[in-house]
Amino acid sequence: MARAHGKAILLGEHGVVFGRPALAVALDRGVVARATAVASTSDCTLHIEPWGVTVVPDASSSRDLDRAFAALLDAYREAPRVRVEARTELPGGAGLGSSAALSVAVLRAIDELLGIERMIAEVIACSLAWERVFHGAPSGIDSALAAEGGILVYRKGEAPEVVSAPKPFRICVGDTGERSSTRSMVDAVARLRERNRAKIDLVFDSMAALVRNGRLAIEAGDHAAVGQLLDLNHALLASLMLSTEVVESMCASARGAGAFGAKVTGAGGGGCVIALAPGKEDDVIEAWKAAGRDAWISEVGA
Ligand code: MEV
């Protein structure tokens, strides 16, 4: 059985598409997958639960998932004769890297069956081939976290830097129930930048400064400081029009329940909100659930 992590970006989403660093953590929820041998390549399928979707590798299909599966299987010298059963514990289109986690779990399940061992950089490269089908030009941060886990500072095109927290900590993850496409949110930010490059680059530079400080705060175990940085990053994302009313209300209720900070995570336009609330996690989750949102606590940095 192979496993890959979901992720939450603490600081720096969108800036990371434009070459700035971002700081992200792997979640303890992810995707599990198992591959079994089949008689012929024409029987090759990927079945994904709980979506109840069956995918075939087909580079000319109109379905993104079929083309992504075909792109992932390009990693093999010969088309593998496998059936893969995958189960995702992550909501899709919610900013938690479910697509990258799926690709890494599927690749690892097939590798496990065929006795193939890959370096992490190669796993990330294969996952990116899958991700490009959905997201056009992803930064690669989702694939890096899915493959490597832990806490990373990531900059496009560079090896991820591992960040060590003095001890594992917990974050609250709440789902707005609103869905957005990463590609269209990234495109919207790119259009804003075309209209006012100096201003948007300043926003990205400010995020990069938050990432540098966030790394130091995590390494020092200073969660109050990390919380403040989450709030600042959220304000910058909201200035890029990536927040929604539900996101704002969930961030406000998390802060009201005692969180040090809260923000939208990932592409925005809905999706998930994260909060850092040491000792008050249950209060945050209760506040979100009382408003009808799905929410859970994830341990990070273990
Ligand atoms: C990824 O989860 C979020 C974005 O930064 C896009 C990317 O990094 O590819 C918005």
Side-chain angles (χ1 to χ4, degrees), residues 73 76 103 182 294:
L73 295 188
Y76 300 90
S103 68
T182 299
D294 189 19

Side-chain angles (χ1 to χ4, degrees), residues 6-47:
K7 67 93 186 54
I9 297 183
L10 298 187
L11 301 165
E13 51 271 88
H14 286 282
V16 70
V17 176
F18 294 90
R20 302 329 187 264
L23 175 63
V25 296
L27 299 174
D28 48 21
R29 286 195 185 185
V31 177
V32 289
R34 182 196 300 276
T36 47
V38 291
S40 115
T41 52
S42 59
D43 297 329
C44 180
T45 55
L46 160 63
H47 184 75

Side-chain angles (χ1 to χ4, degrees), residues 28-191:
D28 48 21
R29 286 195 185 185
V31 177
V32 289
R34 182 196 300 276
T36 47
V38 291
S40 115
T41 52
S42 59
D43 297 329
C44 180
T45 55
L46 160 63
H47 184 75
I48 309 165
E49 287 296 345
W51 304 342
V53 171
T54 299
V55 181
V56 291
D58 180 355
S60 54
S61 168
S62 58
R63 275 202 322 179
D64 285 352
L65 269 169
D66 293 338
R67 296 200 310 283
F69 191 29
L72 191 71
L73 295 188
D74 282 346
Y76 300 90
R77 221 173 297 150
E78 276 175 37
R81 283 173 288 174
V82 288
R83 178 171 59 226
V84 186
E85 304 283 337
R87 171 164 291 275
T88 178
E89 303 153 346
L90 300 162
L96 301 183
S98 81
S99 156
L102 187 56
S103 68
V104 171
V106 169
L107 184 84
R108 284 191 173 145
I110 300 172
D111 284 355
E112 218 169 78
L113 180 75
L114 303 180
I116 295 172
E117 281 184 23
R118 293 177 206 271
M119 306 290 281
I120 284 201
E122 200 189 337
V123 174
I124 295 173
C126 297
S127 166
L128 266 170
W130 160 295
E131 284 286 273
R132 277 191 204 100
V133 173
F134 300 99
H135 306 318
S139 67
I141 191 168
D142 293 16
S143 300
L145 265 297
E148 190 149 352
I151 308 174
L152 301 178
V153 166
Y154 179 87
R155 197 190 272 268
K156 200 171 170 176
E158 293 180 10
E161 292 170 33
V162 176
V163 177
S164 306
K167 54 180 191 234
F169 57 98
R170 304 197 299 163
I171 60 167
C172 303
V173 183
D175 190 346
T176 62
E178 299 170 321
R179 293 292 173 263
S180 68
S181 122
T182 299
R183 185 194 283 263
S184 56
M185 300 317 287
V186 168
D187 286 351
V189 171
R191 281 196 299 277

